[in-house]
Amino acid sequence: MACLLEAPLRISVLSEVTASSRHYVDRLFDPDPHKVLQGVIDMKNAVIGNNKQKANLIVLGAVPRLLYLLQQECSTSELRTECAVVLGSLAMGTENNIKSLVDCHIIPALLQGLLSQDLKFIEACLRCLRTVFISPITPVQLLYTTSEHQTILYNHGAIQNIAHLLNSSSYKVQMQALKFFSVLAYENPQVSITLANVLVDGELLSQVFVRMMQRDKSIEMQLTAAKCLTYMCRAGAFRTTFNCIVLKTLPCLVRMCNKDRLLEERVEGAETLAYLIELDVELQRTASITDHLIAMLADYFKYPSSVSAITDIKRLDHDLKHAHELRQAAFKLYASLGANDEDIRKKIIEAENMMDRIVSGLSESSIKVRLAAVRCLHSLSRSVQQLRTSFQDHAVWKPLMKLLQNAPEEVLVMASSTLCNLLLEFSPSKEPILESGAIELLCNLTQSESPALRVNGIWALMNMAFQAEQKTKMDILRALSTEQLFRLLSDPDVNVLMKTLGLLRNLLSTRPHIDQIMTSHGKQIVQAVTLILEGEHNIEVKEQTLCILANIADGTTAKDLIMMNDDILQKVKYYMGHSNVKLQIAATFCISNLIWNEEEGQRDATFSIHSLQDNQTRHELGEFCELSLTVGGRNSCLLLLIGTFTGQKTLTER
């Protein structure tokens, strides 16, 4: 009986607690503004040092109402200030409190409050923002990746007003100013270019940052100054070859990766370095040979070791809980290092147990580690040699396929992009991936609302169809369905359209395959081709489409669908005389295939063209073949001659 009474007792206690807090929330809705103000003040006094009361008020819906009052222009300055103070107090509770505040969009509301002319209100907003962003669960990008917030600060003279604080005699003031500039410059070209020309007491701001990276400065200052220069460089303020980047910023960030640094410093150093070198092959090469960086990163996976020098139990407990952040940072940096250079990729893979660590990373509980691991795998999968050796030896396709079954969109995009590389024809992983049911999975991706996932799904199918057996091609068509294929051909994203055309090219290769596919789907394919050639598409799209026609023209029976269609023939004729050479060549290749007779060998072009029904079209195409040197250009004529005298071949896409 006691067990039966326990649950109602808990409900009763909870009801009493929330009921005792409800009157605070109810007063926020009073029509008398003076009573509302007093209610907010009483709420402020009630929540100070009382986490239970804070949680109750959040559950009862106090936060949305406080934010509403804070943002209303009709609210008095005192009321808005008190609302910001209460929100700041609520933010000093548990991490769940912070999450609730962020979910209620507190950050944009507080940032907007900084535009006020009331200094007390601004100070209350800043204090609350500081409390929110101190929490590790707050997504920091809400602040520094929001360009409109950066622009607001920029337009209100923040750079000029804060720059001189970098030379303050107070270390704390210097650091806050430095952190401000790192936040302001992130992915903002306008701000970064301005910062590159700012003078601080007659010294360029970039040189002030360089001075702050000197070894006699605190690690915190060195690292933050390096972030400032990294963000400015990536935003285009100066070239990656500048000395302040190659000789100062890069070595400073590599130093931060040393095992003697604290966990947070090693994480931040590696992630910032990964961002700095991500797009520049020379910086990648320089970093890879600086202080044995590749070997140094291997230690990130061994932390803390059994012989750790950490004697502070609390510190050790903290680091054990956050060791996954080191693995995440290492994977990110390895991904950037191996983005372009084959020798660097080889060194990374030869690092101690590297492939095993990547495979383990793909299955970690932390989403961020899984994403970083798949980024690293994607970077290394660009190597033909590694696809044929290390990737096969460790069967990396297995955890990758598992990851694709259920993961957040960001992970799915990177994993499916990696799968595209594993499906290239020289990859030994291609066959087992096919056998594991990848076709259906990829066809499902093509139906995603995300353009990136649609592109990757169709791209992987395109690679799968390259030089594939007839059964594989038919399995792709069956799983994808003609309806979905033609939806993709009208996709608003040009990348999706291009890869879908590439898939069609690869499906329509090898004469028996062409004839079989065109027998079952010929009318729809010709209709789709016609619509694309008539539409407002770029040169690359129309070139791909003409290449599909050229492949169809290679079929024994499939070519009749072109030969009997005067509309298509007129379009081919038009593109033979087009001003763009690529379109000339593709159209001429189509004609070359049409006039080739496999059984009787090479024939004169005008003889084969007699099979066309329409006399005018036949006459005009004959003239185009005979005059291709002057009308179509030397390249078109040469390609036509090659097709005529050596036999044509279909065009596939990789």
Side-chain angles (χ1 to χ4, degrees), residues 533-585:
L533 290 177
E534 288 177 347
E536 295 294 325
H537 296 289
N538 61 36
I539 296 297
E540 288 72 21
V541 168
K542 295 200 172 184
E543 181 192 16
Q544 281 270 30
T545 309
L546 287 168
C547 288
I548 290 171
L549 275 181
N551 285 12
I552 295 172
D554 182 46
T556 303
T557 59
K559 69 170 61 183
D560 292 340
L561 288 165
I562 299 176
M563 302 284 272
M564 305 291 287
N565 191 319
D566 292 336
D567 187 27
I568 285 287
L569 290 171
Q570 286 291 345
K571 286 178 172 54
V572 173
K573 168 200 158 185
Y574 167 77
Y575 285 108
M576 283 182 70
H578 198 278
S579 59
N580 185 277
V581 174
K582 289 183 177 180
L583 296 183
Q584 292 177 16
I585 293 174

Side-chain angles (χ1 to χ4, degrees), residues 312-556:
D312 186 330
I313 298 300
K314 287 186 177 179
R315 181 75 210 180
L316 182 60
D317 181 62
H318 169 273
D319 286 4
L320 283 169
K321 290 178 180 177
H322 294 272
H324 68 277
E325 294 177 15
L326 277 173
R327 297 192 292 276
Q328 173 192 337
F331 282 136
K332 281 185 178 179
L333 186 45
Y334 276 137
S336 290
L337 284 166
N340 295 288
D341 190 282
E342 183 65 20
D343 290 335
I344 297 176
R345 292 189 194 113
K346 188 172 184 294
K347 290 177 183 177
I348 291 172
I349 286 180
E350 289 175 351
E352 183 182 350
N353 299 324
M354 188 62 210
M355 292 305 295
D356 290 332
R357 285 168 176 157
I358 292 175
V359 170
S360 298
L362 294 174
S363 306
E364 282 215 22
S365 58
S366 167
I367 292 290
K368 291 182 178 180
V369 175
R370 294 210 299 271
L371 177 58
V374 79
R375 283 187 188 280
C376 182
L377 188 66
H378 178 257
S379 180
L380 299 176
S381 71
R382 294 170 178 154
S383 166
V384 175
Q385 180 184 355
Q386 302 309 329
L387 281 175
R388 287 173 169 165
T389 55
S390 302
F391 276 53
Q392 180 66 8
D393 295 342
H394 293 82
V396 296
W397 65 270
K398 290 183 179 179
L400 190 66
M401 288 293 292
K402 185 178 179 181
L403 196 62
L404 283 163
Q405 303 296 329
N406 182 26
E409 183 177 312
E410 192 177 7
V411 177
L412 280 177
V413 169
M414 192 54 58
S416 56
S417 185
T418 306
L419 192 66
C420 289
N421 291 345
L422 267 63
L423 285 169
L424 290 168
E425 81 279 5
F426 48 75
S427 169
S429 303
K430 182 174 182 177
E431 285 304 317
I433 290 173
L434 266 171
E435 294 167 3
S436 70
I439 292 178
E440 185 175 349
L441 185 150
L442 294 171
C443 289
N444 289 336
L445 287 184
T446 69
Q447 300 179 37
S448 169
E449 293 182 3
S450 164
L453 285 177
R454 294 202 301 277
V455 168
N456 287 348
I458 204 71
W459 196 338
L461 289 171
M462 182 187 80
N463 286 351
M464 190 182 286
F466 180 78
Q467 295 182 353
E469 295 178 357
Q470 189 167 351
K471 179 183 180 302
T472 300
K473 292 181 179 182
M474 296 308 294
D475 287 345
I476 292 172
L477 274 174
R478 194 177 301 111
L480 188 61
S481 81
T482 52
E483 292 80 6
Q484 176 62 8
L485 180 64
F486 299 124
R487 273 196 292 270
L488 293 167
L489 287 172
S490 58
D491 197 285
D493 189 294
V494 69
N495 294 315
V496 175
L497 174 57
M498 283 291 287
K499 295 306 173 188
T500 307
L501 291 171
L503 170 62
L504 265 179
R505 279 177 62 176
N506 288 353
L507 290 172
L508 294 167
S509 62
T510 310
R511 192 167 288 115
H513 300 179
I514 296 169
D515 288 334
Q516 181 176 354
I517 292 172
M518 292 304 292
T519 297
S520 54
H521 306 290
K523 289 183 179 179
Q524 299 99 313
I525 291 174
V526 169
Q527 183 181 10
V529 166
T530 304
L531 289 173
I532 292 172
L533 290 177
E534 288 177 347
E536 295 294 325
H537 296 289
N538 61 36
I539 296 297
E540 288 72 21
V541 168
K542 295 200 172 184
E543 181 192 16
Q544 281 270 30
T545 309
L546 287 168
C547 288
I548 290 171
L549 275 181
N551 285 12
I552 295 172
D554 182 46
T556 303

Side-chain angles (χ1 to χ4, degrees), residues 259 263 266 294-310 316 319-320 323-324 326-327 330 334 351-354 357:
K259 63 181 178 181
L263 180 146
R266 296 173 74 186
I294 292 176
M296 191 190 302
L297 288 176
D299 290 332
Y300 276 47
F301 297 95
K302 307 172 186 176
Y303 186 87
S305 66
S306 57
V307 292
S308 175
I310 301 175
L316 182 60
D319 286 4
L320 283 169
H324 68 277
L326 277 173
R327 297 192 292 276
Y334 276 137
E352 183 182 350
N353 299 324
M354 188 62 210
R357 285 168 176 157

